[in-house]
Amino acid sequence: MNKSSTAEIRERFDNDVERFSNLDTGQVATIDAKISLELITEAAKRIVPNAKSILDVGCGAGNYSLMMLSKLPGLNCTLVDLSGKMLEKAMERVSLETNGDVSIFQGDIRDILLPEGNYDIILAGAVLHHLREDEDWERTFSKLYKLLKPGGCLMISDLITQDTDLVNEYTWERYGNYLEEIGGKEYREKVLAYVAKEDSPRSMNYQLDLMKKVGFTKVEILHKNMCFGAFGGIK
């Protein structure tokens, strides 16, 4: 199957701004979305309690930045997303919650030029699964590492796979059952179809090993439930 292009992904999110502005509706297909959001932001706060700046990669409507600001008020926020409409909504919501600077960049984090060693915290919520080949993953993780200040952290909440095929089949079967319970067979088929078309997730182990490879001194697993996980690394 040919995977969705960047333009196709942007178009889908352009059409879903209001839904993603509400965690109760925007993340209904994500198991433990609220738990993971709480865990990665609270961990970031404890790792960098004196943080001044965050970078929110694939910020969507701003939910992750807003949760971070509820724990560390006054942060300077840099918001990056493919969707201009998502960025407009994120800018509107985040600006109301901080007296720090809020900057927005529309585009792909792989292409956007940002200052290295500039961010205390990088949040990547439900975005990295759009990466494709191994080379793409390594180049992106290396870039995120370079953007962090020493002692800063990258915190990820995302769709994941398992390293063992039989276990992977089981977790996706469980996920399909979860989707059917909340929305019926049609909803199950719809979500799994766009995952197959749009996403290329990697396992948590793969990403933790990659963090170590590009230079992170410590990595941490915060939460894992079937094909979703929350984890991170410290520079």
Side-chain angles (χ1 to χ4, degrees), residues 17 21 56 59-63 65-66 69 75-81 83-106:
V17 175
S21 299
D56 191 344
C59 67
N63 292 330
S65 289
L66 291 171
L69 287 167
L75 292 168
N76 297 318
C77 302
T78 300
L79 312 175
V80 175
D81 203 274
S83 168
K85 292 182 179 179
M86 284 287 190
L87 278 173
E88 289 175 8
K89 177 61 74 171
M91 180 70 171
E92 173 190 325
R93 299 171 77 207
V94 172
S95 296
L96 293 174
E97 298 300 327
T98 183
N99 56 11
D101 295 330
V102 182
S103 304
I104 60 173
F105 294 86
Q106 183 181 358

Side-chain angles (χ1 to χ4, degrees), residues 134-151:
D134 290 341
E135 182 177 88
D136 201 19
W137 281 84
E138 183 167 347
R139 183 163 60 94
T140 302
F141 272 63
S142 180
K143 179 175 184 175
L144 295 176
Y145 174 81
K146 291 174 183 177
L147 293 175
L148 281 171
K149 295 177 184 177

Side-chain angles (χ1 to χ4, degrees), residues 104-161:
I104 60 173
F105 294 86
Q106 183 181 358
D108 192 317
I109 187 61
R110 293 169 291 187
D111 304 322
I112 292 172
L113 295 178
L114 295 169
E116 294 186 358
N118 192 58
Y119 302 100
D120 295 297
I121 297 166
I122 297 178
L123 303 175
V127 62
L128 298 179
H129 63 259
H130 291 130
L131 298 172
R132 300 299 186 215
E133 305 301 326
D134 290 341
E135 182 177 88
D136 201 19
W137 281 84
E138 183 167 347
R139 183 163 60 94
T140 302
F141 272 63
S142 180
K143 179 175 184 175
L144 295 176
Y145 174 81
K146 291 174 183 177
L147 293 175
L148 281 171
K149 295 177 184 177
C153 63
L154 165 63
M155 288 294 158
I156 299 168
S157 172
D158 214 340
L159 182 70
I160 57 173
T161 56

